[in-house]
Amino acid sequence: MNGTTALVLSVSQSLPASASKSVHKSSLAALTLGALGVVYGDIGTSVLYALKEVFGTGLIAFTPENVLGILSLFVWTLTLIVSFKYVTLVLRADNHGEGGLVAMLALASQAVKDKPQLRRVLLLIGIFGTALFYGDGVITPAISVLSAVEGLRVFSPELSHWVIPLTLTILLLLFWVQKYGTSGIGRFFGPLTAVWFLVIATLGVINIWDNPAVLWALSPHHAWRFVTDNPLVSFLILGALVLCVTGAEALYADLGHFGKAPIRLAWFTMVMPALTCNYLGQGALLLKSPESLENPFFLMAPTWAVLPLIGLATLATVIASQALISGAFSVTKQVVQLGYLPRLNIQHTSARDLGQVYIPIVNWGLFAAIVLAVVLFQSSANLASAYGIAVTLDMLITTILTFFVIRFGWRYPLWLCVMATAGFFVVDILFFASNALKFFAGGWFPLAIGTVIFTLMVTWARGRELLGARQVEDGMDLTSFLDAVFISPPVRVEGTAVFMTPQLGTVPTALLHNLKHNKVLHLQNIFVSVHHHEIPWVGLADRVRIEALGHDCWQVELNFGFKNEPDVPKALGVLTGHGYSLDPMTTSYFLSRDTVMPSLNGGMAFWREKLFAQMHRNASGAADFLSLPNNAVVELGSKIAL
């Protein structure tokens, strides 16, 4: 049991039963409201464009039967993919309470750790899925904000030329404020998104009241009839139909922030009913006024309400985009700690919540790509063509990884695992195949972004592997080296030297340079190796492993999960219980700053070695990443050829 769990149990036990129950209900309500703003902002704004884009394909004859069929497909796509797949099945695959593709990848790789070849394949699949997340992170804010601002064309066609500039201005402001953190405005996300869902549900109910026959679309037989009567068209429109489940992956990705119960409660009590009402309301409007197809969402509202609705929709899309940007920061931080990206400049924006971070290169890289997308595609309709390939591939990868988790991790019978995932696998394949047809119409854009990120990730991971192997090959055994040194020891100076070394048991390059140039050795020497593991959290009980080497020298292994903050000085505080405590005033941290030299006979293609060398050179300092005090760090350089 980790310290956090123990604290929670002790608090619950110290409260009266009625008070504990009240606290639980209060926290559940607060978390459910928070989940509305962070988890469901994206899927909640899909009503702005999804139905319009399905009919905008021009493949569907505009008849009452087809309108009911399409609406039924919307309702049952939400039910099958979101309610059944994500809310019911995938949310169960939590990694120590954490969710998301990185957590699922860690679970799957651990489940097949005795099958190295399969594990390697799953790692590549999962990392590719993680890279595709950045492609989705570009398209989703662009299409969401643009579709909201396009409401100006409904209010006044003369304002059309302001749509692109206003969209870019809103996005610039959104990315500009990221460096200040979201703790201040974040508390308004849930209530504002709750208002959004109430408004879209109300608009839907008003239009359904005018044409209640649209409620027949709730029956799955209308979806079945449409598919059987139009099999080819049904397949082709899947590329647009997938827009109604934008953000479905967020349900799983934000599991660690809110927990299963609030996410499920928010979905079934507010989000699913509101989305269903709104889509049916749009359908009712189209049955009465087919000319409303130009923009059925905004035309649902009375004229006096269009401008306020545009403002609310813009706020909702900004909140949805904010959640995705924060997710990009979080995923990047996890990927860095898993060893698939170099150290980056990660700034904490909240003293209370360590999960709130700001990564400048990710922030402005996303913004540049989003600006390119808006300028390149010009409208939400064109962006809809670019959307889908990355998302459906991620959905497919989630299904594949889920199978291996429940089969090899949970050890369920094969027949049950196949039954649980085969249907979703077929649906995901169909959605992906349909979206693949949009490759040349814009689908290449997020796929290209994902491919570039994937190349960087696998190059960095492989480069680190080769670098580690070279360091072991060139290194000396630490114990034997110390035995030899202390036969005729150098001058000992006061204080403690902490030598950071990537390889446990080998002599740090910094120690060799220190002995060679300074010809001294500190009275106490600690050799520290930091390891990150494929689990989100490593508890304090498993954080530190210590081995005494004699001569006032210790070898220390520090273990962190991919969501732990790697704070080396704090972790080394455990030495107090082993007869020694670090005095910050007399402790120096020695780091090796290696310069990587590409070679023609290395373990990667030469261009990849040059890429790795460049990434290694531009990585942020290890001192900041490991939370070392800057005024106590000594860096000594060396060159290593791959």
Side-chain angles (χ1 to χ4, degrees), residues 292-305:
S292 300
L293 187 57
E294 176 192 354
N295 201 319
F297 176 80
F298 286 106
L299 291 172
M300 292 172 72
T303 305
W304 62 266

Side-chain angles (χ1 to χ4, degrees), residues 552-636:
D552 289 320
C553 296
W554 292 268
Q555 182 171 264
V556 178
E557 180 182 4
L558 299 182
N559 298 288
F560 297 97
F562 58 77
K563 296 207 74 174
N564 284 125
E565 290 296 321
D567 190 327
V568 170
K570 184 177 180 180
L572 290 178
V574 75
L575 286 172
T576 303
H578 292 260
Y580 182 76
S581 60
L582 293 180
D583 181 357
M585 300 302 295
T586 60
T587 300
S588 298
Y589 295 86
F590 289 83
L591 303 176
S592 298
R593 185 73 176 184
D594 300 321
T595 300
V596 175
M597 308 296 293
S599 61
L600 291 173
N601 298 319
M604 291 190 294
F606 187 64
W607 69 268
R608 290 184 67 194
E609 290 194 4
K610 292 185 69 174
L611 176 61
F612 173 73
Q614 188 66 35
M615 293 170 72
H616 192 276
R617 188 178 303 114
N618 293 328
S620 68
D624 291 334
F625 182 74
L626 299 173
S627 303
L628 304 180
N630 290 325
N631 60 352
V633 172
V634 179
E635 285 193 332
L636 299 170

Side-chain angles (χ1 to χ4, degrees), residues 400-459:
I400 293 170
L401 294 180
T402 301
F403 170 81
F404 286 99
V405 169
I406 63 178
R407 176 70 182 110
F408 297 101
W410 301 350
R411 306 207 175 272
Y412 284 177
L414 179 61
W415 66 269
L416 181 59
C417 298
V418 171
M419 284 186 62
T421 57
F424 298 129
F425 181 81
V426 171
V427 171
D428 291 337
I429 283 285
L430 288 173
F431 270 105
F432 171 67
S434 178
N435 278 278
L437 298 176
K438 301 190 298 183
F439 179 83
F440 293 106
W444 59 269
F445 188 75
L447 205 57
I449 293 172
T451 301
V452 169
I453 300 296
F454 176 72
T455 302
L456 294 175
M457 286 181 174
V458 294
T459 298

Side-chain angles (χ1 to χ4, degrees), residues 46-205:
S46 62
V47 294
L48 289 166
Y49 47 81
L51 190 63
K52 177 181 70 172
E53 295 308 324
V54 169
F55 281 103
T57 59
L59 299 171
I60 306 165
F62 201 87
T63 65
E65 292 77 15
N66 285 348
V67 170
L68 290 178
I70 293 299
L71 291 174
S72 188
L73 280 173
F74 267 77
V75 171
W76 289 98
T77 297
L78 288 169
T79 301
L80 182 64
I81 292 182
V82 183
S83 298
F84 290 165
K85 177 181 175 180
Y86 283 97
V87 175
T88 303
L89 175 63
V90 175
L91 278 185
R92 296 187 61 206
D94 66 291
N95 190 339
H96 298 268
E98 295 295 329
L101 203 51
V102 174
M104 178 72 83
L105 171 60
L107 276 178
S109 66
Q110 287 294 311
V112 298
K113 60 184 176 183
D114 56 337
K115 301 175 175 61
Q117 287 298 111
L118 177 58
R119 182 176 181 273
R120 182 174 179 82
V121 171
L122 289 182
L123 281 171
L124 286 175
I125 291 174
I127 290 300
F128 185 60
T130 304
L132 288 173
F133 170 81
Y134 294 94
D136 180 29
V138 169
I139 296 297
T140 301
I143 192 174
S144 297
V145 177
L146 191 53
S147 62
V149 179
E150 281 175 344
L152 289 173
R153 292 172 179 160
V154 175
F155 179 74
S156 174
E158 289 77 16
L159 297 175
S160 295
H161 64 282
W162 285 102
V163 170
I164 298 297
L166 187 56
T167 297
L168 294 177
T169 301
I170 292 169
L171 288 168
L172 175 62
L173 290 173
L174 175 62
F175 281 89
W176 179 261
V177 301
Q178 295 304 310
K179 60 183 177 182
Y180 301 108
T182 58
S183 55
I185 61 174
R187 65 174 67 98
F188 301 108
F189 285 3
L192 279 171
T193 309
V195 170
W196 169 253
F197 281 116
L198 288 172
V199 168
I200 66 173
T202 302
L203 288 174
V205 170

Side-chain angles (χ1 to χ4, degrees), residues 269-503:
T269 60
M270 178 165 280
V271 181
M272 178 67 171
L275 293 176
T276 302
C277 286
N278 194 267
Y279 283 126
L280 292 178
Q282 289 187 48
L285 176 65
L286 292 177
L287 287 173
K288 185 175 68 174
S289 307
E291 66 276 8
S292 300
L293 187 57
E294 176 192 354
N295 201 319
F297 176 80
F298 286 106
L299 291 172
M300 292 172 72
T303 305
W304 62 266
V306 171
L307 198 57
L309 186 59
I310 293 171
L312 180 61
T314 303
L315 280 175
T317 55
V318 166
I319 291 171
S321 301
Q322 172 61 62
L324 197 145
I325 295 166
S326 299
F329 294 157
S330 179
V331 167
T332 302
K333 179 172 175 286
Q334 294 173 24
V335 170
V336 167
Q337 296 189 185
L338 277 176
Y340 283 94
L341 281 177
R343 295 183 303 271
L344 300 173
N345 176 17
I346 299 176
Q347 302 171 13
H348 292 273
T349 59
S350 171
R352 291 182 302 139
D353 184 2
L354 291 178
Q356 286 194 23
V357 296
Y358 169 67
I359 307 177
I361 190 172
V362 174
N363 186 69
W364 294 113
L366 273 178
F367 175 70
I370 289 172
V371 169
L372 179 61
V374 171
V375 173
L376 192 63
F377 292 97
Q378 292 288 309
S379 71
S380 61
N382 292 336
L383 276 167
S385 298
Y387 186 89
I389 291 184
V391 172
T392 52
L393 258 180
D394 264 349
M395 289 179 174
L396 180 60
I397 289 169
T398 297
T399 301
I400 293 170
L401 294 180
T402 301
F403 170 81
F404 286 99
V405 169
I406 63 178
R407 176 70 182 110
F408 297 101
W410 301 350
R411 306 207 175 272
Y412 284 177
L414 179 61
W415 66 269
L416 181 59
C417 298
V418 171
M419 284 186 62
T421 57
F424 298 129
F425 181 81
V426 171
V427 171
D428 291 337
I429 283 285
L430 288 173
F431 270 105
F432 171 67
S434 178
N435 278 278
L437 298 176
K438 301 190 298 183
F439 179 83
F440 293 106
W444 59 269
F445 188 75
L447 205 57
I449 293 172
T451 301
V452 169
I453 300 296
F454 176 72
T455 302
L456 294 175
M457 286 181 174
V458 294
T459 298
W460 179 255
R462 177 58 178 159
R464 287 181 71 248
E465 186 181 323
L466 293 172
L467 185 60
R470 181 55 57 92
Q471 288 171 334
V472 169
E473 180 184 325
D474 296 341
M476 293 180 283
D477 178 69
L478 179 60
T479 304
S480 302
F481 178 80
L482 291 176
D483 289 341
V485 166
F486 283 107
I487 292 175
S488 178
V491 175
R492 307 291 293 270
V493 296
E494 290 290 336
T496 300
V498 177
F499 292 95
M500 306 303 302
T501 173
Q503 304 298 328

